[in-house]
Amino acid sequence: MPQLLAFSILALILWIGDVVSTRTRSWLPSVFVCAILFLVGYWTFFPQDIVQVAGFQTPIVFLAMYLLITNMGTLLSFAELARQWRTVVVALAGIGGIVALLFTLGVMLLDWQTVVVATPPLVGGVVASLIMSQAAADAGLQALSVLAILIYVMQGFAGYPLTAIMLKREGRRVLDLHRAGRWHGTAPVADSADAPMPPRLFARLPAAYDTVYFKMLRLGVVAFAAWGLSELAAPVVTISPFVLCLVFGVIATSVGFLEREPLRKANAFGFTVLILMVFIFDGLKRATPEMLGQLAVPLVTIIAIGLVGMYIASWIVGRLLGITPAMAFACSLTALYGFPADYIITKDVIDTLTDDAAEREALTAHLLPPMLVAGFVTVTMVSVVLAGLFVGLIG
């Protein structure tokens, strides 16, 4: 198969996934649609190395992972985390509930390695899934390598509609109070993720010199520093370079070395995500019909146990902190998909609930900030840290 044909087929699949997700308002997640199309392709006419033929070899995939995780770190704001501390606690409690129930009830129903491999993808996104899938493959656990991918694919299918239901329930409560003149929520705030924040250390640099290459250079330097520290620490302690990339991204943004989302500002975010998406779906080539039959039970069991643990923990902690059960569960559910799905779902719910400008402002101010912060904390930070820690537990 020619390289450009392979690339075009892969891009077509991702595009179809986006279209279906948009048309169904995320009730059919794009990753679910793409996974089905990849499976059909591998079971019919796809060459087994279609991703490699398209040009996405292992070195460029790991480069994309380093850059994307560092870029994810730039999304975290210490100030916003401080303002939304209750949201952070609830989101962490939800993840704690998943881990606690999986490592108690889960290990009774499934084996240890299955729970270890499946937990980080369940509380995270594509990066955590990639880390655990690769680790399982390196350990010779091919079925569990596929399971890590399937968890990532299927968790959104459960998380999207549940989140929409919870947000609609919370939104209707807010609207009822607002229409009765008894709503005293927070004032509308600007979306900090879109606010222009040039790096302080380069504030005096002429705009003509702050080119795409300079943005990529600084991002690469930060990622290299994170990788270098991981290598230096290796003789003493094993620290995942992906975890350090995330931490270094936060620090570099705080000190003014990186702007927020340098990959987007360098117009490279979409292509970087494309690289990771096709690579993670490439793992489905090992998913034979027989293997999927074997994995169906652990897949459903893990997601079900995880959701129950998440709901119980978020409900308890939410009650203690004065957060409604619906809002607490919605914030915890961001662990199943993260940004930008948390933003898209919240906006869709607000648009569905009301057309009034004042009511939309009230809903946006109440729903959007905690959902964004929860998504950043769970998928961006905790899932990568968990994946880095759990890799050593597979053996």
Side-chain angles (χ1 to χ4, degrees):
M1 177 179 289
Q3 180 184 22
L4 290 177
L5 176 59
F7 175 83
S8 298
I9 291 175
L10 298 180
L12 174 63
I13 289 176
L14 296 181
W15 176 72
I16 292 175
D18 280 346
V19 170
V20 173
S21 178
T22 301
R23 294 285 295 178
T24 62
R25 287 183 174 260
S26 296
W27 288 95
L28 276 178
S30 62
V31 291
F32 178 78
V33 176
C34 292
I36 296 298
L37 294 177
F38 265 90
L39 283 175
V40 172
Y42 282 126
W43 293 347
T44 54
F45 70 97
F46 277 12
Q48 290 293 296
D49 60 347
I50 185 173
V51 172
Q52 288 72 34
V53 170
F56 303 116
Q57 308 286 342
T58 301
I60 193 173
V61 171
F62 274 87
L63 173 63
M65 288 178 66
Y66 286 127
L67 295 181
L68 184 62
I69 294 177
T70 307
N71 181 82
M72 289 163 67
T74 69
L75 291 169
L76 292 173
S77 164
F78 290 123
E80 186 61 31
L81 288 176
R83 285 193 295 268
Q84 295 285 343
W85 67 270
R86 294 190 303 167
T87 299
V88 173
V89 173
V90 167
L92 293 178
I95 291 177
I98 291 176
V99 176
L101 206 59
L102 280 176
F103 278 86
T104 52
L105 178 60
V107 292
M108 296 179 187
L109 302 176
L110 305 166
D111 63 272
W112 170 266
Q113 289 178 327
T114 299
V115 173
V116 169
V117 171
T119 300
L122 185 60
V123 301
V126 59
V127 175
S129 182
L130 273 176
I131 294 173
M132 297 311 297
S133 178
Q134 188 65 46
D138 293 341
L141 306 172
Q142 296 300 325
L144 294 186
S145 176
V146 174
L147 178 64
I149 297 171
L150 292 178
I151 289 288
Y152 167 70
V153 170
M154 295 301 296
Q155 65 184 1
F157 194 62
Y160 292 148
L162 277 176
T163 303
I165 292 170
M166 294 299 107
L167 287 178
K168 286 178 181 178
R169 182 176 299 175
E170 178 69 6
R172 291 190 186 100
R173 183 186 73 86
V174 171
L175 285 179
D176 289 342
L177 292 174
H178 186 274
R179 290 165 181 169
R182 294 186 288 114
W183 175 247
H184 304 289
T186 56
V189 294
D191 186 355
S192 59
D194 296 327
M197 296 180 64
R200 293 191 304 273
L201 296 182
F202 303 97
R204 296 185 178 180
L205 184 73
Y209 296 161
D210 189 17
T211 66
V212 167
Y213 304 122
F214 189 55
K215 298 181 192 299
M216 296 297 290
L217 166 64
R218 287 184 280 115
L219 187 64
V221 167
V222 174
F224 173 69
W227 174 86
L229 179 59
S230 175
E231 291 293 306
L232 289 175
V236 180
V237 60
T238 300
I239 307 176
S240 170
F242 301 116
V243 174
L244 291 178
C245 281
L246 184 73
V247 174
F248 275 44
V250 177
I251 296 173
T253 307
S254 300
V255 302
F257 185 79
L258 288 178
E259 60 271 87
R260 292 173 68 83
E261 295 196 89
L263 277 180
R264 284 194 186 277
K265 293 180 172 62
N267 298 316
F269 182 79
F271 188 67
T272 306
V273 172
L274 183 147
I275 293 172
L276 292 185
M277 293 303 293
V278 298
F279 183 74
I280 194 170
F281 288 127
D282 182 51
L284 292 175
K285 66 186 178 186
R286 299 188 292 270
T288 63
E290 295 76 20
M291 183 182 292
L292 287 181
Q294 297 172 358
L295 293 177
V297 172
L299 176 68
V300 174
T301 302
I302 288 168
I303 293 178
I305 292 175
L307 286 175
V308 172
M310 174 187 287
Y311 178 76
I312 293 173
S314 63
W315 184 87
I316 294 173
V317 175
R319 283 292 192 186
L320 294 174
L321 296 178
I323 301 175
T324 64
M327 194 68 214
F329 193 32
C331 289
S332 295
L333 282 167
T334 60
L336 303 185
Y337 43 81
F339 185 85
D342 51 1
Y343 177 86
I344 295 171
I345 294 173
T346 306
K347 285 292 190 182
D348 283 347
V349 167
I350 293 171
D351 292 340
T352 301
L353 290 176
T354 180
D355 293 325
D356 181 79
E359 292 179 348
R360 282 191 177 186
E361 285 187 356
L363 289 176
T364 300
H366 180 68
L367 299 179
L368 189 57
M371 288 295 289
L372 289 177
V373 169
F376 292 153
V377 169
T378 54
V379 173
T380 304
M381 183 169 60
V382 178
S383 69
V384 178
V385 174
L386 277 182
L389 295 174
F390 278 33
V391 163
L393 301 177
I394 292 180

